[in-house]
Amino acid sequence: MNRLYAARRRRNRIAMGLSVLATVFGLGWLVLILGALIWHGFNGLSIAVFTEMTPPPGSAGGLLNPIVGSLILTALAILIGTPIGILAGTYMAEYGRYDRLTTVVRFINDILLSAPSIVIGLFIYEIMVAPMGHFSGLAGAVALAVIVIPVVVRTTEDMLLLVPNPLREAATALGMSRAVVIRKVCYRAAQTGMLTGVLLAVARISGETAPLLFTALNNQFWSVDLNGPMPSLPVVIFQFALSPYGDWQSLAWTGALIITFTVLALSITARALAASRKES
Amino acid sequence: MTLSVPTGAGFVASTRARALDRMRMGDLGFRLLTRAAALGVLLILGAVILSLISGSLPALQAFGLDFLIAERWNPVTEKFGALAPIYGTLVTSFIAMLIAVPVGLLISVFLTELCPLWLRRPIGIAIELLAGIPSIIYGIWGLFVFAPFLQQTLQPFLIALFGNVPFLSSLFAGPPYGIGVLTAGLILAIMVLPFITSISRDVFEAVPPVLKEAAYGIGCTTWEVVRNVVIPYTRVGVIGGVMLGLGRALGETMAVTFVIGNAHRISASILAPGTTISATIANEFTEAVGDLYTSSLIALGLILFVITFIVLAAARYLLLRIERRVG
């Protein structure tokens, strides 16, 4: 009996030890990756990175044009994707809560949420770049918008479902129509949660590279023309990192550092917002 | 002439009717608008599938089913086959799942059973931040830090260890390049780890405490509770989470593109360079000349989309089933 008990305890200790190890292993990668980013990218961080254009190989320069390009692409994608996502989420949570359509849309939306982003790039290439005959910033923004929509749909629906029904009933009893109840009461109650969704969407797309490779392409020069190829930070990192030139590689590391910390700051802000909502 | 000021019950009724009408119209309009947006989501999926099919028609007509089973990939003679990228996609994802599933499950066990309460949130968030790091960052880190590290440590070790073991020696044959199928698989493992962890943690937390307490009450150890109560109870959900991670691994592009080596051949050794569907598209699409080349790459995209669609749909179906059972 005692021997059996000892064996069970031993097995338990091994399993629990392994689970602690697994956690250390998982967290270790985060530390290693962030550490490498700071190690390789921090030295390159200077004012010039934010004020100068991407250089030809062998000379100094910065990342101004890809940073501005990324900002434009991201803003435009959010501008296109958010309204569509919010409206679709509204239908699913409010008008069609018990519809067949909602079940189908939710299923498809969840699939789009994890669909490979490179396929989205191919899709936009087929419907925009090929017919127009040239790469364009607009195509890149639309590709990113296709990635934004499912994220926003999901959070909007979830957050509207959390709005307590008595609020809707009270507003309806005052004589408001359904549309007014949704816009003036439900949206306001779910505001923070919906904002979280948009922040998560920004975090998601600001590091996306694959869908931009053959839509917005890249541009070595200053370009804010939506109708032409537009540089973006992730694509420049991709190009510079795989180049044989040392200065380009170190600029790529600096760009990687900027993107990562922006994205992490965004997702931590989103989480903090969500948490503050839960507590209040 | 006197101005007739409308008064009385008739006026009130008519303005009220008008206001009601306006409200009804506004409501109908908003309802239709939101419905259109919801249908738009379906439309996106339909459009993605249609555009991929139409784009890949030339290649599929030229090669037929051969496209799926041929290994050749020759842009010069315009003969294309998808077998090498499909093989690479499956093998890298398999390596990733082999590592990420047990590690992810163990982390969730730690988070739900062992971890002190105050540490749970920070560790959970830190693991989820791994999912937030963009794919290209994994790529640049993999190429400049991780691959050289593997080249000097793990890969020579594996070659020496299995050099004289039959079968395994061919699996770990060849010089340690650093980049290759194994490296891509390991990086994918790190990338899908947070997805598996967060879903299995969520389903582990959904186990009714009474069940666990009863098991502890008859003297089970923590491991026995996990093994005999928690895992059987949450099996469907865990499989759903694993499939979701698999869907991610299959479609992951940038990180793999950096470290796989982009070689269109199937090698027995997992230390050799290879390619995946997404890496092939990312590397070659903008340089593809000729309609057949472009179309073959789009056909690769179609294959990838079909595979991930099936895996993700299965994942969602399993997760829906567990929700229904609980609810």
Side-chain angles (χ1 to χ4, degrees), chain B residues 121-144:
Chain B
R121 245 178 83 78
I123 293 184
I125 289 177
I127 297 278
E128 276 165 28
L129 284 185
L130 268 181
I133 296 178
S135 150
I136 185 145
I137 308 301
Y138 283 97
I140 188 171
W141 176 78
L143 180 66
F144 290 112

Side-chain angles (χ1 to χ4, degrees), chain B residues 39-78:
Chain B
L39 288 170
V41 173
L42 298 186
L43 204 70
I44 292 176
L45 184 83
V48 169
I49 296 174
L50 277 182
S51 75
L52 287 178
I53 291 179
S54 85
S56 54
L57 267 185
L60 296 181
Q61 273 165 354
F63 306 118
L65 271 182
D66 245 18
F67 187 73
L68 282 177
I69 49 171
E71 195 189 332
R72 65 183 182 212
W73 185 267
N74 194 334
V76 181
T77 58
E78 299 218 306

Side-chain angles (χ1 to χ4, degrees), chain B residues 9-28:
Chain B
F11 169 70
V12 173
S14 80
T15 43
R16 174 175 293 170
R18 229 175 299 141
L20 273 178
D21 268 355
R22 212 169 42 230
M23 248 162 114
R24 211 166 287 141
M25 288 309 290
D27 192 39
L28 189 71

